[in-house]
Structure formats: structure tokens, C-alpha cells
Amino acid sequence: MRVPRSLEVWKMGTVNYLDALKLQEKLVSDRKTSKIADTVLSLQHPPTYTLGKRRTDHNLLIPESELKKIGAELCYTQRGGDITFHGPHQAILYPIISLRDIGIGARNYVEKLELTMIELAALYGVRAFAGQKGETGVWVGERKIGAIGVRISYGITSHGLAFNIDPDLSYFKHIVPCGIADKEVTSLRKETDSVLPTEEVIQGQLISCFARLFGYSNLIWKEKGSILSDNGEN
Amino acid sequence: MTMRDFRFFHSAAKLQKRLFREREREREREIMACSRLMWATRAASYLRISVPFTLRVRGFSSVLKDLKYADSHEWVKVDGISATIGITDHAKDHLGDVVYVELPEVGASISQGSSFGAVESVKATSDVYSPVSGKVIEVNEELNSSPGLINASPYENGWIIKVEMSDKDETNKLMGSDQYSKFCEEEDAKH
């Protein structure tokens, strides 16, 4: 009795963090009034540190004034989770979907986001697993390969997941990632011997895993590289 | 495809199948637990007994008879023009362990259906919505140091705010316990 469900996929390239945040706010509002269907943004960010609603800036280990020197920005958000880093070669998905339409809550949603990354890692022979209680995210052994931070407003999701394909891991040295000390951060490149295809292919696989786990049978792909200069389109 | 590729894809497929089987077994265990607990839940909620922690099973969370409920899973207990508000057992089951609660300021005005704060669990912040309009007269400061009270006691010690209602009739728009129980079952049946 399942109605075939559609997902619109926006392939966006590299997007400034704050621009992506403003776009998500607009899309959440549009999704709430059913102006748009379930949508997922697939993108990467330039080097950016972000904090969640709890503002755990004690987990940033260098002064904010030093960030510019290393070519990074700091952004405050309303998402859940602790401090994290986003940068080139890290695949990001921001699903803007209605959880009420599919009858699931935060916990189930986050579990599915974890499974999305676990299944992607499995495609390259990497055995990843969801974190223990209080350590939401995706791990390979004691090393974190995928992070999650989500906001749910009127049952509509924003923010989402970040999967390390091959980012510059030295950026993580300037924070206590996700507030969990003594745990390393890793990437797909470090964990697999497989030859990796292009990042576009890997991001496409990530979206396919997501779509399958959430039961979307119809994907509508949109190239939205220039969306932020293109206000009329929606 | 080389032999090496084949081995990788084969073990990836095996891992996926194992994950799927594990999820199926987990679901079966939940269903068995459901049927055992169902009579206990219904009896307990009818008798207005606070049900203990064993109710982790979706769709059979405890619902108290003398409260009113919003479709965003907040409850309200009316006492004259004063209303105590929190989130339901169903809501906290679906959230996971609450690690942070964002409370409004005392004196803030809130309106029915609008957000007055948020809770964080499993790296997700979820807005909470007021079932009634009015002025915030008290917030549960205990939640700052013990956000887990929401999980341990969603209807008692885990209350979130107290409101002086501006329009008592607004509660007519809310659900009673039976209607809310049914609403939860229908929502859970969606997936």
C-alpha cells in the first residue's frame, strides 16, 4: 500500500556554509507549506568549523582570530551535535524531508542517516558501524568517518550528514571533534585499499543509499550549481 | 570485474544482508514485546498509573487519561487558568536520550502551535510547540542540569513549562487520551 515517493536531489558543488544555511531555511519553510516535495542537497563546503545549538565553543582549540590564517570560518547553527569541521572532499547531504509524512522521529531518522553512511562504506569493503550511546555518528574501529547534526522544525529536517571521503584531516586537530576527546577522525581514503572513483560518483552512491533506506523510489536529479545567483527558480 | 573487486562487492553484499536480518530480528522482538506489554499499558493508562521504563516499544507508549494532547506530541495539564506542559512518552521514545533542553524566558508570550523551545537528542534538535497560548510563568530549571528527566518521567518530573493561559477554550482543539493513542498508532503505522 506504499505510495511511490519522490525525492528531488540538488547537486550543488561547493557552497559557502552560510549560503547553504539560508537556502535550507527557505526550503524548510517551503516544505512545511508543501510548496516543494522532499528534497536533499548534495554538496561540499570550503573549510568551515560549525557549532550546534549548545554552542560548545570550548571545543575549539585555537582562538577564533587564528581561523582566517588557516583559511577557515566559524559558523553558529541551531542543529544538534557538537563542534565539527566541513571542508573539501567531504560529502555532505542535507535532507529537507517531512518526518511526519513517514511517521518517524529523531532517533529513527538519525539511525537511518548512520545506516546510509555505513552502507556507502561497505561498498568499498569498509566495515563501519553506528556509535555507542551518546556517540552518534559512524565509526571504523575507534575512528570517526561520518558525522551527523540535525535540526527538526515542524517535523521538517535540515542539516544532515557529513562523510569523509578524503578531506584534509589536519583541520580536525584544532577541535575536539563532536566533543569526544581521544578519538581520531578518519576518511574513506585512509580506510580502504580500493581505488576510489571520482567524488561525484561517491556522492551519487551516498544519495542512492539514502534514497533506498528512506524508501524513495523516484529520484529527480537537478544540477543546482548556480542556484544561489538564481532566485527565481524553485 | 577482477577477483578482488568481486570479493569486495561480495562481502559488502553479505554485510548488507546481515544488517537487514539484524533489523528484521529486532523488529520481531519488538512486536513480541508489544503484545506482552499491550494489556499492561492499556490497564495502566486507564488506571492513571505512571508506567515504568519498560515501555520502550513504539506505538504502545503510555498516555495519561486526564491530560490533553497536541498532534506535535506535547501534553498539557490544566489547573484553573494555569497549564503545565511537557512532551509525551511517545515523543521521548522517538527522540532517544535527551541531552539538552532549551527553555524560554519566564514572562515570554507564547501562542498555540508555535515553538517555545527545543530538546536535543542523538545530535538532533527538535523544536517543541505549545498546546496553548499565554504567558510563561515558570520553567523547569532542573532540566538544565538533568535533561534526562524528560526520558525518566515525561509526565511528572520532566515537565517543561507552566503557562498562564490567555484562552482556556483553546484546549477544545486538543486531543483527549483515546484520540491521542489512536493518533500515535496511525503515525507509527506509516512506516
Side-chain angles (χ1 to χ4, degrees), chain B residues 48-83:
Chain B
R48 291 160 56 181
I49 296 167
S50 194
V51 187
F53 61 86
T54 45
L55 280 170
R56 297 186 142 272
V57 179
R58 287 200 297 274
F60 296 88
S61 311
S62 75
V63 174
L64 300 192
K65 268 216 144 355
D66 57 354
L67 306 180
K68 291 285 216 173
Y69 299 87
D71 62 6
S72 45
H73 302 287
E74 290 85 13
W75 56 264
V76 60
K77 183 174 186 172
V78 175
D79 185 6
I81 58 156
S82 162

PDB file of all heavy atoms in Angstrom, chain B residues 48-83:
ATOM      1  N   ARG B  48      -4.495   5.397  35.328  1.00  0.00           N
ATOM      2  CA  ARG B  48      -3.680   6.587  35.559  1.00  0.00           C
ATOM      3  C   ARG B  48      -2.464   6.304  36.409  1.00  0.00           C
ATOM      4  O   ARG B  48      -2.093   7.073  37.278  1.00  0.00           O
ATOM      5  CB  ARG B  48      -4.512   7.710  36.166  1.00  0.00           C
ATOM      6  CG  ARG B  48      -5.518   8.251  35.155  1.00  0.00           C
ATOM      7  CD  ARG B  48      -6.642   8.979  35.793  1.00  0.00           C
ATOM      8  NE  ARG B  48      -6.174  10.055  36.639  1.00  0.00           N
ATOM      9  CZ  ARG B  48      -6.980  10.820  37.327  1.00  0.00           C
ATOM     10  NH1 ARG B  48      -8.266  10.630  37.281  1.00  0.00           N
ATOM     11  NH2 ARG B  48      -6.511  11.789  38.075  1.00  0.00           N
ATOM     12  N   ILE B  49      -1.878   5.163  36.150  1.00  0.00           N
ATOM     13  CA  ILE B  49      -0.627   4.819  36.826  1.00  0.00           C
ATOM     14  C   ILE B  49       0.506   5.187  35.883  1.00  0.00           C
ATOM     15  O   ILE B  49       0.446   4.924  34.693  1.00  0.00           O
ATOM     16  CB  ILE B  49      -0.564   3.303  37.104  1.00  0.00           C
ATOM     17  CG1 ILE B  49      -1.687   2.905  38.071  1.00  0.00           C
ATOM     18  CG2 ILE B  49       0.784   2.905  37.684  1.00  0.00           C
ATOM     19  CD1 ILE B  49      -1.884   1.395  38.133  1.00  0.00           C
ATOM     20  N   SER B  50       1.531   5.804  36.457  1.00  0.00           N
ATOM     21  CA  SER B  50       2.704   6.131  35.639  1.00  0.00           C
ATOM     22  C   SER B  50       3.434   4.842  35.301  1.00  0.00           C
ATOM     23  O   SER B  50       3.821   4.089  36.178  1.00  0.00           O
ATOM     24  CB  SER B  50       3.614   7.058  36.435  1.00  0.00           C
ATOM     25  OG  SER B  50       4.549   7.636  35.589  1.00  0.00           O
ATOM     26  N   VAL B  51       3.591   4.574  34.014  1.00  0.00           N
ATOM     27  CA  VAL B  51       4.137   3.277  33.608  1.00  0.00           C
ATOM     28  C   VAL B  51       5.656   3.327  33.631  1.00  0.00           C
ATOM     29  O   VAL B  51       6.238   4.302  33.224  1.00  0.00           O
ATOM     30  CB  VAL B  51       3.647   2.918  32.190  1.00  0.00           C
ATOM     31  CG1 VAL B  51       4.054   1.528  31.819  1.00  0.00           C
ATOM     32  CG2 VAL B  51       2.133   3.043  32.146  1.00  0.00           C
ATOM     33  N   PRO B  52       6.298   2.267  34.114  1.00  0.00           N
ATOM     34  CA  PRO B  52       7.755   2.312  34.251  1.00  0.00           C
ATOM     35  C   PRO B  52       8.513   2.223  32.928  1.00  0.00           C
ATOM     36  O   PRO B  52       7.929   2.116  31.879  1.00  0.00           O
ATOM     37  CB  PRO B  52       8.072   1.098  35.141  1.00  0.00           C
ATOM     38  CG  PRO B  52       6.936   0.169  34.917  1.00  0.00           C
ATOM     39  CD  PRO B  52       5.725   1.031  34.640  1.00  0.00           C
ATOM     40  N   PHE B  53       9.798   2.234  33.037  1.00  0.00           N
ATOM     41  CA  PHE B  53      10.712   2.378  31.912  1.00  0.00           C
ATOM     42  C   PHE B  53      10.573   1.306  30.844  1.00  0.00           C
ATOM     43  O   PHE B  53      11.057   1.445  29.758  1.00  0.00           O
ATOM     44  CB  PHE B  53      12.142   2.376  32.434  1.00  0.00           C
ATOM     45  CG  PHE B  53      12.498   1.100  33.132  1.00  0.00           C
ATOM     46  CD1 PHE B  53      12.970   0.012  32.412  1.00  0.00           C
ATOM     47  CD2 PHE B  53      12.313   0.946  34.502  1.00  0.00           C
ATOM     48  CE1 PHE B  53      13.277  -1.181  33.057  1.00  0.00           C
ATOM     49  CE2 PHE B  53      12.616  -0.237  35.135  1.00  0.00           C
ATOM     50  CZ  PHE B  53      13.104  -1.302  34.415  1.00  0.00           C
ATOM     51  N   THR B  54       9.933   0.174  31.154  1.00  0.00           N
ATOM     52  CA  THR B  54       9.858  -0.937  30.210  1.00  0.00           C
ATOM     53  C   THR B  54       9.169  -0.548  28.910  1.00  0.00           C
ATOM     54  O   THR B  54       9.290  -1.219  27.916  1.00  0.00           O
ATOM     55  CB  THR B  54       9.083  -2.125  30.813  1.00  0.00           C
ATOM     56  OG1 THR B  54       7.923  -1.609  31.445  1.00  0.00           O
ATOM     57  CG2 THR B  54       9.945  -2.863  31.801  1.00  0.00           C
ATOM     58  N   LEU B  55       8.414   0.568  28.946  1.00  0.00           N
ATOM     59  CA  LEU B  55       7.711   0.927  27.721  1.00  0.00           C
ATOM     60  C   LEU B  55       8.608   1.655  26.738  1.00  0.00           C
ATOM     61  O   LEU B  55       8.529   2.841  26.548  1.00  0.00           O
ATOM     62  CB  LEU B  55       6.508   1.794  28.054  1.00  0.00           C
ATOM     63  CG  LEU B  55       5.335   0.959  28.524  1.00  0.00           C
ATOM     64  CD1 LEU B  55       4.260   1.818  29.062  1.00  0.00           C
ATOM     65  CD2 LEU B  55       4.800   0.116  27.390  1.00  0.00           C
ATOM     66  N   ARG B  56       9.500   0.898  26.101  1.00  0.00           N
ATOM     67  CA  ARG B  56      10.334   1.494  25.070  1.00  0.00           C
ATOM     68  C   ARG B  56       9.789   1.155  23.699  1.00  0.00           C
ATOM     69  O   ARG B  56      10.372   1.472  22.690  1.00  0.00           O
ATOM     70  CB  ARG B  56      11.751   0.944  25.174  1.00  0.00           C
ATOM     71  CG  ARG B  56      12.383   1.307  26.478  1.00  0.00           C
ATOM     72  CD  ARG B  56      13.833   0.889  26.490  1.00  0.00           C
ATOM     73  NE  ARG B  56      14.628   1.885  27.169  1.00  0.00           N
ATOM     74  CZ  ARG B  56      15.149   2.927  26.540  1.00  0.00           C
ATOM     75  NH1 ARG B  56      15.007   3.093  25.259  1.00  0.00           N
ATOM     76  NH2 ARG B  56      15.845   3.827  27.199  1.00  0.00           N
ATOM     77  N   VAL B  57       8.634   0.498  23.694  1.00  0.00           N
ATOM     78  CA  VAL B  57       8.153  -0.030  22.422  1.00  0.00           C
ATOM     79  C   VAL B  57       7.277   0.987  21.715  1.00  0.00           C
ATOM     80  O   VAL B  57       6.361   1.521  22.290  1.00  0.00           O
ATOM     81  CB  VAL B  57       7.350  -1.328  22.676  1.00  0.00           C
ATOM     82  CG1 VAL B  57       6.831  -1.869  21.381  1.00  0.00           C
ATOM     83  CG2 VAL B  57       8.242  -2.332  23.373  1.00  0.00           C
ATOM     84  N   ARG B  58       7.543   1.249  20.478  1.00  0.00           N
ATOM     85  CA  ARG B  58       6.783   2.245  19.725  1.00  0.00           C
ATOM     86  C   ARG B  58       5.330   1.849  19.612  1.00  0.00           C
ATOM     87  O   ARG B  58       5.013   0.692  19.464  1.00  0.00           O
ATOM     88  CB  ARG B  58       7.372   2.397  18.329  1.00  0.00           C
ATOM     89  CG  ARG B  58       8.683   3.122  18.307  1.00  0.00           C
ATOM     90  CD  ARG B  58       8.953   3.647  16.910  1.00  0.00           C
ATOM     91  NE  ARG B  58       9.094   2.617  15.927  1.00  0.00           N
ATOM     92  CZ  ARG B  58      10.235   1.992  15.656  1.00  0.00           C
ATOM     93  NH1 ARG B  58      11.307   2.277  16.329  1.00  0.00           N
ATOM     94  NH2 ARG B  58      10.295   1.076  14.736  1.00  0.00           N
ATOM     95  N   GLY B  59       4.475   2.854  19.612  1.00  0.00           N
ATOM     96  CA  GLY B  59       3.057   2.591  19.379  1.00  0.00           C
ATOM     97  C   GLY B  59       2.344   2.146  20.622  1.00  0.00           C
ATOM     98  O   GLY B  59       1.128   2.054  20.630  1.00  0.00           O
ATOM     99  N   PHE B  60       3.044   1.841  21.694  1.00  0.00           N
ATOM    100  CA  PHE B  60       2.376   1.426  22.916  1.00  0.00           C
ATOM    101  C   PHE B  60       2.934   2.224  24.089  1.00  0.00           C
ATOM    102  O   PHE B  60       3.043   1.732  25.186  1.00  0.00           O
ATOM    103  CB  PHE B  60       2.570  -0.089  23.131  1.00  0.00           C
ATOM    104  CG  PHE B  60       1.915  -0.882  22.054  1.00  0.00           C
ATOM    105  CD1 PHE B  60       2.600  -1.189  20.894  1.00  0.00           C
ATOM    106  CD2 PHE B  60       0.593  -1.260  22.162  1.00  0.00           C
ATOM    107  CE1 PHE B  60       1.982  -1.892  19.874  1.00  0.00           C
ATOM    108  CE2 PHE B  60      -0.028  -1.970  21.149  1.00  0.00           C
ATOM    109  CZ  PHE B  60       0.660  -2.292  20.006  1.00  0.00           C
ATOM    110  N   SER B  61       3.260   3.483  23.836  1.00  0.00           N
ATOM    111  CA  SER B  61       3.758   4.339  24.893  1.00  0.00           C
ATOM    112  C   SER B  61       2.606   4.685  25.819  1.00  0.00           C
ATOM    113  O   SER B  61       1.444   4.631  25.439  1.00  0.00           O
ATOM    114  CB  SER B  61       4.318   5.607  24.282  1.00  0.00           C
ATOM    115  OG  SER B  61       5.191   5.284  23.232  1.00  0.00           O
ATOM    116  N   SER B  62       2.937   5.109  27.031  1.00  0.00           N
ATOM    117  CA  SER B  62       1.866   5.405  27.976  1.00  0.00           C
ATOM    118  C   SER B  62       1.227   6.748  27.661  1.00  0.00           C
ATOM    119  O   SER B  62       1.884   7.690  27.198  1.00  0.00           O
ATOM    120  CB  SER B  62       2.396   5.374  29.401  1.00  0.00           C
ATOM    121  OG  SER B  62       3.148   6.523  29.664  1.00  0.00           O
ATOM    122  N   VAL B  63      -0.086   6.807  27.892  1.00  0.00           N
ATOM    123  CA  VAL B  63      -0.879   8.008  27.652  1.00  0.00           C
ATOM    124  C   VAL B  63      -1.738   8.185  28.892  1.00  0.00           C
ATOM    125  O   VAL B  63      -2.400   7.234  29.324  1.00  0.00           O
ATOM    126  CB  VAL B  63      -1.775   7.811  26.406  1.00  0.00           C
ATOM    127  CG1 VAL B  63      -2.701   8.992  26.225  1.00  0.00           C
ATOM    128  CG2 VAL B  63      -0.914   7.628  25.167  1.00  0.00           C
ATOM    129  N   LEU B  64      -1.732   9.371  29.480  1.00  0.00           N
ATOM    130  CA  LEU B  64      -2.491   9.559  30.715  1.00  0.00           C
ATOM    131  C   LEU B  64      -3.863  10.145  30.426  1.00  0.00           C
ATOM    132  O   LEU B  64      -4.019  11.005  29.551  1.00  0.00           O
ATOM    133  CB  LEU B  64      -1.723  10.472  31.689  1.00  0.00           C
ATOM    134  CG  LEU B  64      -0.354   9.962  32.123  1.00  0.00           C
ATOM    135  CD1 LEU B  64       0.170  10.792  33.284  1.00  0.00           C
ATOM    136  CD2 LEU B  64      -0.396   8.494  32.515  1.00  0.00           C
ATOM    137  N   LYS B  65      -4.853   9.676  31.180  1.00  0.00           N
ATOM    138  CA  LYS B  65      -6.237   9.989  30.861  1.00  0.00           C
ATOM    139  C   LYS B  65      -6.626  11.426  31.111  1.00  0.00           C
ATOM    140  O   LYS B  65      -7.484  11.963  30.435  1.00  0.00           O
ATOM    141  CB  LYS B  65      -7.170   9.057  31.655  1.00  0.00           C
ATOM    142  CG  LYS B  65      -7.513   7.823  30.867  1.00  0.00           C
ATOM    143  CD  LYS B  65      -8.934   7.400  31.143  1.00  0.00           C
ATOM    144  CE  LYS B  65      -9.756   6.804  30.022  1.00  0.00           C
ATOM    145  NZ  LYS B  65      -9.311   6.710  28.703  1.00  0.00           N
ATOM    146  N   ASP B  66      -6.065  12.084  32.100  1.00  0.00           N
ATOM    147  CA  ASP B  66      -6.581  13.411  32.439  1.00  0.00           C
ATOM    148  C   ASP B  66      -5.823  14.554  31.749  1.00  0.00           C
ATOM    149  O   ASP B  66      -5.970  15.713  32.124  1.00  0.00           O
ATOM    150  CB  ASP B  66      -6.572  13.615  33.954  1.00  0.00           C
ATOM    151  CG  ASP B  66      -5.184  13.439  34.553  1.00  0.00           C
ATOM    152  OD1 ASP B  66      -4.257  13.046  33.796  1.00  0.00           O
ATOM    153  OD2 ASP B  66      -5.009  13.682  35.749  1.00  0.00           O
ATOM    154  N   LEU B  67      -5.008  14.225  30.738  1.00  0.00           N
ATOM    155  CA  LEU B  67      -4.261  15.265  30.036  1.00  0.00           C
ATOM    156  C   LEU B  67      -4.853  15.508  28.650  1.00  0.00           C
ATOM    157  O   LEU B  67      -5.623  14.692  28.138  1.00  0.00           O
ATOM    158  CB  LEU B  67      -2.788  14.857  29.872  1.00  0.00           C
ATOM    159  CG  LEU B  67      -2.031  14.470  31.147  1.00  0.00           C
ATOM    160  CD1 LEU B  67      -0.598  14.105  30.807  1.00  0.00           C
ATOM    161  CD2 LEU B  67      -2.068  15.591  32.163  1.00  0.00           C
ATOM    162  N   LYS B  68      -4.451  16.640  28.072  1.00  0.00           N
ATOM    163  CA  LYS B  68      -4.833  16.904  26.679  1.00  0.00           C
ATOM    164  C   LYS B  68      -3.554  16.849  25.840  1.00  0.00           C
ATOM    165  O   LYS B  68      -2.456  17.130  26.360  1.00  0.00           O
ATOM    166  CB  LYS B  68      -5.460  18.302  26.560  1.00  0.00           C
ATOM    167  CG  LYS B  68      -6.814  18.421  27.232  1.00  0.00           C
ATOM    168  CD  LYS B  68      -7.876  17.729  26.410  1.00  0.00           C
ATOM    169  CE  LYS B  68      -9.190  18.458  26.454  1.00  0.00           C
ATOM    170  NZ  LYS B  68     -10.180  17.875  25.536  1.00  0.00           N
ATOM    171  N   TYR B  69      -3.730  16.565  24.539  1.00  0.00           N
ATOM    172  CA  TYR B  69      -2.548  16.303  23.713  1.00  0.00           C
ATOM    173  C   TYR B  69      -2.594  17.068  22.399  1.00  0.00           C
ATOM    174  O   TYR B  69      -3.659  17.201  21.782  1.00  0.00           O
ATOM    175  CB  TYR B  69      -2.443  14.810  23.413  1.00  0.00           C
ATOM    176  CG  TYR B  69      -2.307  13.968  24.662  1.00  0.00           C
ATOM    177  CD1 TYR B  69      -3.430  13.522  25.350  1.00  0.00           C
ATOM    178  CD2 TYR B  69      -1.040  13.654  25.170  1.00  0.00           C
ATOM    179  CE1 TYR B  69      -3.304  12.769  26.509  1.00  0.00           C
ATOM    180  CE2 TYR B  69      -0.907  12.895  26.321  1.00  0.00           C
ATOM    181  CZ  TYR B  69      -2.043  12.465  26.993  1.00  0.00           C
ATOM    182  OH  TYR B  69      -1.911  11.716  28.137  1.00  0.00           O
ATOM    183  N   ALA B  70      -1.408  17.517  21.964  1.00  0.00           N
ATOM    184  CA  ALA B  70      -1.289  18.149  20.643  1.00  0.00           C
ATOM    185  C   ALA B  70      -0.736  17.134  19.650  1.00  0.00           C
ATOM    186  O   ALA B  70      -0.068  16.182  20.046  1.00  0.00           O
ATOM    187  CB  ALA B  70      -0.329  19.344  20.733  1.00  0.00           C
ATOM    188  N   ASP B  71      -1.004  17.367  18.348  1.00  0.00           N
ATOM    189  CA  ASP B  71      -0.513  16.398  17.356  1.00  0.00           C
ATOM    190  C   ASP B  71       0.996  16.486  17.155  1.00  0.00           C
ATOM    191  O   ASP B  71       1.584  15.694  16.438  1.00  0.00           O
ATOM    192  CB  ASP B  71      -1.265  16.522  16.018  1.00  0.00           C
ATOM    193  CG  ASP B  71      -1.094  17.880  15.370  1.00  0.00           C
ATOM    194  OD1 ASP B  71      -0.307  18.708  15.877  1.00  0.00           O
ATOM    195  OD2 ASP B  71      -1.769  18.131  14.358  1.00  0.00           O
ATOM    196  N   SER B  72       1.623  17.472  17.800  1.00  0.00           N
ATOM    197  CA  SER B  72       3.090  17.533  17.789  1.00  0.00           C
ATOM    198  C   SER B  72       3.666  16.852  19.031  1.00  0.00           C
ATOM    199  O   SER B  72       4.836  17.031  19.367  1.00  0.00           O
ATOM    200  CB  SER B  72       3.557  18.985  17.681  1.00  0.00           C
ATOM    201  OG  SER B  72       2.815  19.815  18.561  1.00  0.00           O
ATOM    202  N   HIS B  73       2.807  16.091  19.752  1.00  0.00           N
ATOM    203  CA  HIS B  73       3.232  15.232  20.856  1.00  0.00           C
ATOM    204  C   HIS B  73       3.651  15.961  22.123  1.00  0.00           C
ATOM    205  O   HIS B  73       4.547  15.529  22.843  1.00  0.00           O
ATOM    206  CB  HIS B  73       4.349  14.259  20.406  1.00  0.00           C
ATOM    207  CG  HIS B  73       3.930  13.388  19.272  1.00  0.00           C
ATOM    208  ND1 HIS B  73       3.035  12.338  19.411  1.00  0.00           N
ATOM    209  CD2 HIS B  73       4.253  13.439  17.950  1.00  0.00           C
ATOM    210  CE1 HIS B  73       2.843  11.779  18.242  1.00  0.00           C
ATOM    211  NE2 HIS B  73       3.559  12.415  17.334  1.00  0.00           N
ATOM    212  N   GLU B  74       2.983  17.095  22.397  1.00  0.00           N
ATOM    213  CA  GLU B  74       3.131  17.710  23.726  1.00  0.00           C
ATOM    214  C   GLU B  74       1.845  17.427  24.519  1.00  0.00           C
ATOM    215  O   GLU B  74       0.767  17.278  23.937  1.00  0.00           O
ATOM    216  CB  GLU B  74       3.320  19.233  23.615  1.00  0.00           C
ATOM    217  CG  GLU B  74       4.678  19.658  23.027  1.00  0.00           C
ATOM    218  CD  GLU B  74       4.675  19.666  21.519  1.00  0.00           C
ATOM    219  OE1 GLU B  74       3.577  19.597  20.930  1.00  0.00           O
ATOM    220  OE2 GLU B  74       5.759  19.734  20.921  1.00  0.00           O
ATOM    221  N   TRP B  75       1.955  17.364  25.820  1.00  0.00           N
ATOM    222  CA  TRP B  75       0.773  17.194  26.673  1.00  0.00           C
ATOM    223  C   TRP B  75       0.573  18.459  27.478  1.00  0.00           C
ATOM    224  O   TRP B  75       1.518  19.236  27.712  1.00  0.00           O
ATOM    225  CB  TRP B  75       0.918  15.995  27.627  1.00  0.00           C
ATOM    226  CG  TRP B  75       2.135  16.027  28.524  1.00  0.00           C
ATOM    227  CD1 TRP B  75       3.321  15.406  28.289  1.00  0.00           C
ATOM    228  CD2 TRP B  75       2.278  16.716  29.785  1.00  0.00           C
ATOM    229  NE1 TRP B  75       4.193  15.659  29.320  1.00  0.00           N
ATOM    230  CE2 TRP B  75       3.594  16.452  30.256  1.00  0.00           C
ATOM    231  CE3 TRP B  75       1.434  17.513  30.564  1.00  0.00           C
ATOM    232  CZ2 TRP B  75       4.080  16.960  31.455  1.00  0.00           C
ATOM    233  CZ3 TRP B  75       1.918  18.024  31.766  1.00  0.00           C
ATOM    234  CH2 TRP B  75       3.231  17.751  32.194  1.00  0.00           C
ATOM    235  N   VAL B  76      -0.671  18.679  27.910  1.00  0.00           N
ATOM    236  CA  VAL B  76      -0.940  19.823  28.783  1.00  0.00           C
ATOM    237  C   VAL B  76      -1.877  19.391  29.891  1.00  0.00           C
ATOM    238  O   VAL B  76      -2.839  18.655  29.677  1.00  0.00           O
ATOM    239  CB  VAL B  76      -1.491  21.036  27.990  1.00  0.00           C
ATOM    240  CG1 VAL B  76      -2.798  20.715  27.282  1.00  0.00           C
ATOM    241  CG2 VAL B  76      -1.659  22.245  28.881  1.00  0.00           C
ATOM    242  N   LYS B  77      -1.561  19.827  31.117  1.00  0.00           N
ATOM    243  CA  LYS B  77      -2.405  19.535  32.279  1.00  0.00           C
ATOM    244  C   LYS B  77      -2.974  20.865  32.742  1.00  0.00           C
ATOM    245  O   LYS B  77      -2.232  21.779  33.121  1.00  0.00           O
ATOM    246  CB  LYS B  77      -1.545  18.905  33.375  1.00  0.00           C
ATOM    247  CG  LYS B  77      -2.324  18.502  34.598  1.00  0.00           C
ATOM    248  CD  LYS B  77      -1.427  17.752  35.560  1.00  0.00           C
ATOM    249  CE  LYS B  77      -2.242  17.216  36.724  1.00  0.00           C
ATOM    250  NZ  LYS B  77      -1.449  16.338  37.560  1.00  0.00           N
ATOM    251  N   VAL B  78      -4.288  20.974  32.695  1.00  0.00           N
ATOM    252  CA  VAL B  78      -4.933  22.243  33.015  1.00  0.00           C
ATOM    253  C   VAL B  78      -5.366  22.260  34.469  1.00  0.00           C
ATOM    254  O   VAL B  78      -5.952  21.294  34.972  1.00  0.00           O
ATOM    255  CB  VAL B  78      -6.148  22.450  32.074  1.00  0.00           C
ATOM    256  CG1 VAL B  78      -6.915  23.701  32.467  1.00  0.00           C
ATOM    257  CG2 VAL B  78      -5.680  22.529  30.640  1.00  0.00           C
ATOM    258  N   ASP B  79      -5.095  23.389  35.121  1.00  0.00           N
ATOM    259  CA  ASP B  79      -5.492  23.552  36.523  1.00  0.00           C
ATOM    260  C   ASP B  79      -5.939  25.000  36.681  1.00  0.00           C
ATOM    261  O   ASP B  79      -5.123  25.895  36.915  1.00  0.00           O
ATOM    262  CB  ASP B  79      -4.280  23.241  37.422  1.00  0.00           C
ATOM    263  CG  ASP B  79      -4.648  23.276  38.888  1.00  0.00           C
ATOM    264  OD1 ASP B  79      -5.856  23.417  39.196  1.00  0.00           O
ATOM    265  OD2 ASP B  79      -3.739  23.184  39.734  1.00  0.00           O
ATOM    266  N   GLY B  80      -7.246  25.248  36.522  1.00  0.00           N
ATOM    267  CA  GLY B  80      -7.739  26.623  36.519  1.00  0.00           C
ATOM    268  C   GLY B  80      -7.272  27.297  35.246  1.00  0.00           C
ATOM    269  O   GLY B  80      -7.529  26.797  34.158  1.00  0.00           O
ATOM    270  N   ILE B  81      -6.588  28.450  35.407  1.00  0.00           N
ATOM    271  CA  ILE B  81      -6.053  29.095  34.191  1.00  0.00           C
ATOM    272  C   ILE B  81      -4.580  28.775  34.003  1.00  0.00           C
ATOM    273  O   ILE B  81      -3.922  29.299  33.119  1.00  0.00           O
ATOM    274  CB  ILE B  81      -6.246  30.630  34.171  1.00  0.00           C
ATOM    275  CG1 ILE B  81      -5.581  31.276  35.396  1.00  0.00           C
ATOM    276  CG2 ILE B  81      -7.697  30.999  34.047  1.00  0.00           C
ATOM    277  CD1 ILE B  81      -5.231  32.733  35.152  1.00  0.00           C
ATOM    278  N   SER B  82      -4.091  27.866  34.845  1.00  0.00           N
ATOM    279  CA  SER B  82      -2.672  27.508  34.745  1.00  0.00           C
ATOM    280  C   SER B  82      -2.547  26.189  33.975  1.00  0.00           C
ATOM    281  O   SER B  82      -3.359  25.284  34.137  1.00  0.00           O
ATOM    282  CB  SER B  82      -2.112  27.391  36.162  1.00  0.00           C
ATOM    283  OG  SER B  82      -0.920  26.684  36.134  1.00  0.00           O
ATOM    284  N   ALA B  83      -1.553  26.119  33.119  1.00  0.00           N
ATOM    285  CA  ALA B  83      -1.331  24.901  32.329  1.00  0.00           C
ATOM    286  C   ALA B  83       0.111  24.450  32.473  1.00  0.00           C
ATOM    287  O   ALA B  83       1.028  25.263  32.337  1.00  0.00           O
ATOM    288  CB  ALA B  83      -1.649  25.189  30.861  1.00  0.00           C
TER     289      ALA B  83
END
